[in-house]
Amino acid sequence: MSDFLLQTAFNASYAASYMALIAVGLVLIFGVMGVINFAHGELYMAGAYAVVFFYAGLGLPFIVAVAIGLVFVGCLGMLMELALFRPLRTNPLGGLIASIGFLLMLQTVAVLGFGLRNQNVPPVSQGRITVGGAFLTYERLYVILATVGLLLALWLFLRKSKFGWALRACAQDREAASLQGISINQTARYAMFIGAGLAGVAGALTAPLVAPTPYMGHTVIVTAFIIIIVGGIGSLEGAVLAAIIYAFVHTFVTTFFDGVIANIVGLLLMLAVLVVKPQGLFGVRERA
């Protein structure tokens, strides 16, 4: 029984890792730009298909394909900011609708380019770490380690660099930041690059494990919204903690019962947190 519980904990740690990357990216975009990006799940999908094309298709090393996926999806995010969100900066509802349109466009491109079938990505490694009767594959370990490294790098960037301070200032009060000489356009552009890139690298890292499809972003974006609501909209720390809580609850309930019940429990968890603390675990940042 202990081995079974340990195996489930390994699985939950993997799920918490890639969901934390997606949720943190979504929170960063919302915090700096004030827009709800419904296409965030499709950015995750785009990262996965970058690995399908460059790693499975062209035979490039996996780490190179992941890096390309990060940069490619980050650039997609910058394109969204320039073409969609910047012109609609004073119209949040318009930005939301525009993100849905971009979502449908990315899905269509994926269908035309790769078809509707699941894409089988060759395994990166056959190795595993065994602890008693439980094991953690190297592929899942890479996701966990990459997540820890990327989130630590983001934390240091936001708190130790001048540009990180500028991003945080815009997230807290865009008008006051602008009066201090901070470029709103520049911070929004780089926030989209970082936020989209985190979603893209999550998709790229998990591509060998999930068999990418054009519609894989649907479930991911719903889960990401649950996570950021539980953690507190605008809180990066809350997103990470909520991702861990949600992943462990969902994985254990799925293991002992089934996925449908796990989804219901996830929604009940969100409702319970909102009843007890309407602002989420880490509260909501004040916006201008």
Side-chain angles (χ1 to χ4, degrees), residues 1-244:
M1 185 63 176
S2 60
D3 290 339
F4 183 70
L5 292 176
L6 182 59
Q7 182 64 62
T8 307
F10 282 158
N11 296 339
S13 299
Y14 156 74
S17 297
Y18 76 83
M19 284 310 309
L21 286 178
I22 298 169
V24 165
L26 188 60
V27 167
L28 185 64
I29 293 170
F30 175 81
V32 174
M33 300 175 58
V35 296
I36 300 175
N37 182 18
F38 267 94
H40 202 68
E42 274 52 48
L43 296 177
Y44 164 78
M45 177 268 291
Y49 272 105
V51 167
V52 171
F53 182 78
F54 290 105
Y55 172 63
L58 298 183
L60 295 180
F62 179 71
I63 188 64
V64 174
V66 170
I68 294 174
L70 188 157
V71 175
F72 169 69
V73 179
C75 290
L76 274 181
M78 294 175 71
L79 176 63
M80 290 180 66
E81 189 279 327
L82 179 63
L84 302 180
F85 296 140
R86 188 180 300 182
L88 297 169
R89 184 170 292 164
T90 59
N91 183 4
L93 179 59
L96 186 151
I97 295 172
S99 73
I100 295 175
F102 196 76
L103 174 161
L104 297 173
M105 187 181 74
L106 286 179
Q107 288 180 350
T108 302
V109 171
V111 170
L112 293 176
F114 298 94
L116 291 169
R117 298 178 60 184
N118 291 41
Q119 299 292 319
N120 293 319
V121 180
V124 180
S125 171
Q126 299 290 347
R128 62 174 62 182
I129 296 174
T130 302
V131 181
F135 66 90
L136 179 66
T137 64
Y138 284 171
E139 289 178 318
R140 294 192 173 204
L141 179 62
Y142 296 155
V143 176
I144 295 171
L145 294 178
T147 297
V148 172
L150 288 169
L151 293 182
L152 178 60
L154 178 64
W155 185 87
L156 292 172
F157 169 74
L158 291 176
R159 284 161 175 75
K160 304 297 181 180
S161 70
K162 289 184 178 180
F163 194 75
W165 296 341
L167 284 175
R168 293 169 62 198
C170 286
Q172 292 173 3
D173 192 325
R174 275 200 302 275
E175 184 177 348
S178 179
L179 292 174
Q180 293 297 318
I182 297 173
S183 171
I184 302 302
N185 288 339
Q186 185 182 40
T187 53
R189 182 166 61 247
Y190 286 106
M192 275 300 298
F193 180 87
I194 296 171
L198 289 176
V201 77
L205 288 168
T206 58
L209 297 162
V210 299
T213 71
Y215 303 106
M216 63 189 291
H218 284 341
T219 302
V220 165
I221 192 63
V222 172
T223 303
F225 278 124
I226 292 175
I227 288 171
I228 66 173
I229 290 172
V230 171
I233 298 176
S235 171
L236 299 178
E237 296 84 357
V240 174
L241 177 60
I244 294 172

